[in-house]
Amino acid sequence: MYRSHNCGELRATNINEEVTLAGWVQKSRDKGFIVWVDLRDRYGITQLVFDEERTSKDMMRQAQNLGREFVIQVKGTVIERASKNPNIATGDIEILVTELNILNQAILPPFTIEDETDGGEELRMKYRYLDIRRNPVKENLIFRHKVTQEVRNYLSNEDFIEVETPYLIKSTPEGARDFVVPSRMNEGEFYALPQSPQTFKQLLMVGGMDKYFQIVKCFRDEDLRADRQPEFTQIDCEMAFIEQEDILNAFEGLTRHLLKEVNGVEVEKFPRILYDDAIRLYGNDKPDIRFGMEFGELNEVAQHKDFNVFNSAELVVGIAVPGGNSYTRKEIDKLTSWVKRPQVGALGMVYCRCNEDGTYKSSVDKFYDQEDLSKWAEATGANAGDLICVLSGDTSKVRAQLSALRMELAERLGLRKPNEFAPLWVMDFPLLEWDEETERYHAMHHPFTSPKPGQIELLKTDPGAVKANAYDLVLNGNEIGGGSIRIHDKETQSLMFDYLGFTEVEAKAQFGFLMDAFQYGAPPHGGLAFGLDRLVAILGGQETIRDFIAFPKNNSGRDVMIDAPAPIDDEQLKELSLKLNIKS
């Protein structure tokens, strides 16, 4: 037995007990006649003491030569600590060591294994096994475990059955590129890694499983934006014989349960907003509603003056910044520079101060009088002491730009509090979206999403106006889950493939197995998939998913720790019937 107790376990009630501990040397302090060593494992830190009056010379010499991250085992007696440390759970005691065994020596780590480390992100990713020893990373992984256990317990108690689905599947068009895997036994043919278990969970409903879930890895070979991973984890769920309301109630329940059990927060209301209203009021389909600053459209009150910037714009829109009138001209100029950055892309910003005396002062006073500006304030909900920020231009672009500004201002004003939680359902997404490159419609979610009841006929006359029976669950400005009611009959699914530009042959080749299954009696069904990485990060008070993944990839999709992806040798290529054609 390497240890009788862990390093976070012993208390004053254990004084005079003989114990055995094992762990890593966090640090040591050598005073010549006495050596203190902090011993660390997953559970905490216990202080060891080597005293020349009570410790042999050989053991003192060993203790003085212990380096950081040495793996050691000690035996000794629990004694009361003379100088107690209230910052750690074991701070009332220490171990007077009677036996020391060095289990493994360690070279000096490339960064300090402390809560506040001197290691940069790329360096810590390269030595992730060392980074995991640090409390913040360790606690994030333990937190993730707690969330997944609560998910499994809740769904199991609600009669969901966890079923594993295959990783080696057929390539299907679901929005992003597939990762493909060559088959040695089937020359010239390839598997694909699943972007989601979408078709399999539908087949499970055809199979009568009724309620399915799976905590599952998914894969997308796409260009990585900030905080995305090529492999990610979903809580994938599907239910049969349900309508949209059943889905929303089921997963409101799961979200409410997680917030209560993991965060100790009671959340009753899950407001609902239409997709079109989310775009109009917040500029995106995952609004953070922990604060206001809703958009006010100003076309009617800002155009048709002599200000051509607004007159030539498709949309003039603004937000009221609470207390923003206190901003200096220099601070406002910095905001203007911020929205003009390439990442945001605005050409400029107009502002209007709402003075405490009820008057207004804008950067375009030459074109607008006090009555005009009061209408700006009314449209944006601005009060005395606020600042109105106005952008203009192409409708879709300017909404995205103002959305970015809204989030930046909320961050600066401290309105995005990580311990506050505001869930929101976004409903009725467009079923289809137009792709300029291919000049045809694509499914906004996936080809199996059903249109809203009564809108199938619209596909023939106005495809872009058709709404999907789809919904996203948003938490604190992040999409944590999304799903839809599925098409469950062959005729409607065939019609959908037609409108998405699939020929009958292509549809049969890609999805024939699903269409065949529908002929044997598919029940009405639908579901939702949570992004587990994002959900855990938000519940943990953060938004960076990489901090909650044991071995993440970097922004280039590389695992710098194991140096993957990597070339394979010629013999493997030959076995797989592959030939490389790489342009230098």
Side-chain angles (χ1 to χ4, degrees):
M1 185 170 64
Y2 277 102
R3 55 189 180 185
S4 60
H5 299 77
N6 64 55
C7 293
E9 188 176 352
L10 297 169
R11 302 290 187 269
T13 53
N14 299 106
I15 288 174
N16 294 325
E17 289 183 19
E18 298 295 318
V19 297
T20 304
L21 301 181
W24 289 264
V25 173
Q26 176 76 17
K27 60 183 177 182
S28 62
R29 299 173 299 284
D30 182 3
K31 297 293 185 182
F33 61 92
I34 192 168
V35 176
W36 290 283
V37 173
D38 286 348
L39 188 66
R40 181 195 72 241
D41 64 9
R42 187 188 108 187
Y43 307 94
I45 288 176
T46 298
Q47 181 169 281
L48 314 177
V49 60
F50 301 83
D51 182 346
E52 67 177 8
E53 292 184 1
R54 296 172 287 184
T55 303
S56 70
K57 288 183 179 180
D58 286 345
M59 194 184 301
M60 280 295 291
R61 195 177 303 111
Q62 270 188 306
Q64 289 168 335
N65 289 321
L66 289 175
R68 281 179 177 262
E69 303 308 312
F70 274 38
V71 185
I72 64 172
Q73 179 195 47
V74 297
K75 296 181 180 179
T77 306
V78 182
I79 61 174
E80 186 175 4
R81 190 163 165 170
S83 179
K84 294 180 172 56
N85 182 355
N87 297 319
I88 58 174
T90 60
D92 289 343
I93 58 93
E94 59 190 2
I95 309 300
L96 179 61
V97 178
T98 55
E99 185 178 326
L100 167 63
N101 295 314
I102 297 175
L103 303 175
N104 217 332
Q105 296 187 16
I107 62 174
L108 189 68
F111 53 86
T112 54
I113 315 294
E114 303 277 358
D115 290 3
E116 298 295 329
T117 183
D118 56 358
E121 185 176 49
E122 195 78 1
L123 181 66
R124 288 185 287 109
M125 286 180 69
K126 181 171 178 152
Y127 296 95
R128 184 65 165 179
Y129 45 85
L130 297 180
D131 201 28
I132 290 172
R133 295 180 189 175
R134 296 174 50 245
N135 282 327
V137 181
K138 175 195 74 177
E139 287 163 5
N140 284 349
L141 296 181
I142 293 171
F143 183 81
R144 181 182 177 120
H145 164 76
K146 181 178 179 181
V147 173
T148 56
Q149 288 300 101
E150 288 296 338
V151 168
R152 280 196 164 94
N153 291 340
Y154 181 87
L155 291 176
S156 297
N157 289 334
E158 293 293 316
D159 290 332
F160 283 80
I161 304 299
E162 186 167 12
V163 183
E164 291 185 47
T165 54
Y167 280 158
L168 295 176
I169 67 167
K170 186 176 188 176
S171 183
T172 58
E174 290 190 40
R177 294 183 190 89
D178 289 324
F179 282 102
V180 294
V181 182
S183 171
R184 178 183 59 81
M185 293 183 290
N186 300 276
E187 188 174 326
E189 296 185 322
F190 295 81
Y191 298 106
L193 300 180
Q195 295 182 36
S196 77
Q198 181 61 48
T199 53
F200 285 100
K201 63 182 177 183
Q202 291 190 253
L203 291 171
L204 286 169
M205 295 303 101
V206 176
M209 291 307 294
D210 196 69
K211 288 183 174 182
Y212 140 93
F213 85 99
Q214 182 181 190
I215 297 177
V216 59
K217 281 287 185 190
C218 301
F219 308 85
R220 289 182 184 171
D221 186 9
E222 57 188 346
D223 295 335
L224 299 181
R225 300 202 298 267
D227 207 32
R228 269 195 177 176
Q229 291 282 301
E231 53 182 320
F232 54 97
T233 306
Q234 283 186 351
I235 309 167
D236 196 52
C237 307
E238 197 81 359
M239 302 168 70
F241 300 109
I242 47 80
E243 296 178 337
Q244 180 175 275
E245 200 64 28
D246 300 306
I247 298 282
L248 302 188
N249 289 334
F251 296 107
E252 278 185 21
L254 173 58
T255 308
R256 195 177 283 116
H257 173 82
L258 291 174
L259 286 167
K260 181 179 179 181
E261 296 301 319
V262 175
N263 296 87
V265 173
E266 299 267 6
V267 176
E268 292 302 322
K269 292 184 179 179
F270 282 67
R272 299 179 185 183
I273 186 172
L274 298 178
Y275 168 87
D276 290 344
D277 290 336
I279 297 297
R280 179 176 57 84
L281 294 173
Y282 301 101
N284 68 69
D285 59 6
K286 48 180 186 296
D288 191 337
I289 58 169
R290 285 175 292 180
F291 55 95
M293 288 197 278
E294 292 182 357
F295 291 8
E297 297 191 355
L298 304 175
N299 286 36
E300 290 187 10
V301 296
Q303 290 183 328
H304 314 300
K305 301 293 179 178
D306 292 324
F307 188 47
N308 286 331
V309 172
F310 285 176
N311 290 341
S312 62
E314 193 176 7
L315 177 66
V316 183
V317 63
I319 52 173
V321 185
N325 194 28
S326 62
Y327 286 9
T328 65
R329 176 59 188 271
K330 187 175 180 181
E331 287 174 314
I332 294 173
D333 287 345
K334 284 184 178 179
L335 273 183
T336 304
S337 297
W338 190 89
V339 299
K340 290 167 73 174
R341 298 181 313 148
Q343 300 95 315
V344 180
L347 297 177
M349 184 182 82
V350 169
Y351 68 88
C352 175
R353 294 181 180 278
C354 303
N355 297 320
E356 297 290 350
D357 62 3
T359 62
Y360 302 93
K361 177 68 178 172
S362 82
S363 56
V364 287
D365 278 346
K366 179 180 177 181
F367 305 100
Y368 298 93
D369 59 26
Q370 291 292 297
E371 185 179 353
D372 295 326
L373 298 176
S374 71
K375 293 177 181 176
W376 292 19
E378 184 180 353
T380 58
N383 298 310
D386 292 349
L387 178 75
I388 303 171
C389 295
V390 182
L391 301 181
S392 63
D394 175 78
T395 297
S396 59
K397 288 181 180 178
V398 79
R399 280 175 172 162
Q401 292 159 0
L402 192 60
S403 174
L405 177 61
R406 176 179 179 267
M407 296 296 277
E408 175 67 16
L409 286 164
E411 199 70 51
R412 295 184 185 192
L413 292 167
L415 301 176
R416 304 192 69 207
K417 298 174 182 176
N419 57 346
E420 291 182 6
F421 298 94
L424 173 76
W425 286 108
V426 180
M427 319 286 294
D428 294 5
F429 284 78
L431 181 68
L432 307 171
E433 56 184 344
W434 182 255
D435 188 294
E436 293 290 347
E437 284 188 24
T438 59
E439 294 187 339
R440 67 182 179 91
Y441 283 105
H442 289 264
M444 192 169 197
H445 284 75
H446 52 65
F448 319 108
T449 299
S450 67
K452 293 290 285 186
Q455 294 198 4
I456 289 179
E457 289 302 313
L458 259 181
L459 281 169
K460 299 174 183 176
T461 56
D462 191 3
V466 180
K467 298 299 183 186
N469 213 343
Y471 33 80
D472 277 358
L473 182 55
V474 174
L475 184 61
N476 295 0
N478 292 272
E479 178 197 334
I480 61 167
S484 66
I485 302 300
R486 322 301 186 191
I487 297 169
H488 68 277
D489 63 282
K490 183 178 179 180
E491 291 73 24
T492 306
Q493 189 65 73
S494 296
L495 187 64
M496 178 62 72
F497 288 147
D498 288 343
Y499 285 113
L500 292 173
F502 288 91
T503 67
E504 188 174 341
V505 172
E506 287 172 335
K508 178 72 175 173
Q510 295 282 357
F511 303 109
F513 62 93
L514 187 65
M515 305 294 279
D516 290 344
F518 281 2
Q519 296 180 104
Y520 291 94
H525 61 283
L528 180 142
F530 286 88
L532 178 64
D533 309 301
R534 179 82 53 207
L535 174 63
V536 170
I538 295 169
L539 294 177
Q542 302 178 46
E543 291 189 4
T544 304
I545 65 172
R546 192 179 289 168
D547 294 341
F548 291 84
I549 296 172
F551 300 103
K553 308 284 190 293
N554 68 8
N555 287 339
S556 300
R558 293 199 66 83
D559 186 325
V560 294
M561 181 183 69
I562 63 172
D563 195 22
I568 60 175
D569 62 35
D570 290 341
E571 190 61 35
Q572 284 180 288
L573 289 171
K574 186 177 178 181
E575 278 189 335
L576 297 169
S577 304
L578 295 177
K579 186 176 181 180
L580 299 182
N581 182 21
I582 300 172
K583 295 179 181 178
S584 58

